[in-house]
Amino acid sequence: MVFSKIIIIKEENGYQLNPFENNLTGGRIMAMNFRISRHRSNNVLDLSLRGDFDGSSAMELLKVLEDSKTSVSRIIIHTNGLRNIHPFGKGVFQKDFPKINRSPVNVIFKGDKGDLSR
């Protein structure tokens, strides 16, 4: 039985699956249906999460937050589009989020899936 790995190619408005590459190129493997959509207006960054939130998805969200925290004053994370929040993914996020949240940026969670940091 042969299993192919799937890597994520970063695009401007989210992520695209590339089934023809292997993970040796350094791509991140996440839940196949996880997406982060970004919209920036003035000093506010809106992040809309879609799909299943697992450990790799948590790491990707943390990376986006880390990369964005110095360029905006507020980040709004919309959780309505999350289908499943895996306990491991939430645990990964909760462990490292306080390190990012110490910066001057204000992070706000909105949506029926609630605050991922609690």
Side-chain angles (χ1 to χ4, degrees), residues 2-38:
V2 176
F3 293 96
S4 63
K5 293 184 179 180
I6 298 174
I7 68 163
I8 307 303
I9 298 175
K10 194 170 184 179
E11 291 185 338
E12 186 172 325
N13 292 324
Y15 298 88
Q16 173 186 353
L17 294 172
N18 183 349
F20 304 107
E21 298 280 333
N22 64 40
N23 200 33
L24 297 176
T25 60
R28 294 175 183 264
I29 297 176
M30 292 185 283
M32 289 179 58
N33 63 357
F34 183 73
R35 303 280 185 274
I36 301 174
S37 298
R38 304 169 196 185

Side-chain angles (χ1 to χ4, degrees), residues 5 15 18-19 36 45 51 53 56 71 95 103 105:
K5 293 184 179 180
Y15 298 88
N18 183 349
I36 301 174
L45 177 64
F53 191 77
S56 296
S71 62
K95 177 183 164 280
S103 69
V105 68

Side-chain angles (χ1 to χ4, degrees), residues 30-81:
M30 292 185 283
M32 289 179 58
N33 63 357
F34 183 73
R35 303 280 185 274
I36 301 174
S37 298
R38 304 169 196 185
H39 175 71
R40 183 174 174 169
S41 178
N42 296 324
N43 225 6
V44 178
L45 177 64
D46 282 287
L47 301 175
S48 295
L49 309 181
R50 301 231 180 283
D52 294 328
F53 191 77
D54 62 5
S56 296
S57 304
M59 293 301 295
E60 191 62 32
L61 177 57
L62 289 163
K63 182 175 179 353
V64 169
L65 293 173
E66 180 67 35
D67 293 347
S68 303
K69 71 181 187 180
T70 58
S71 62
V72 296
S73 63
R74 184 170 31 170
I75 299 174
I76 302 172
I77 301 173
H78 301 274
T79 61
N80 282 344

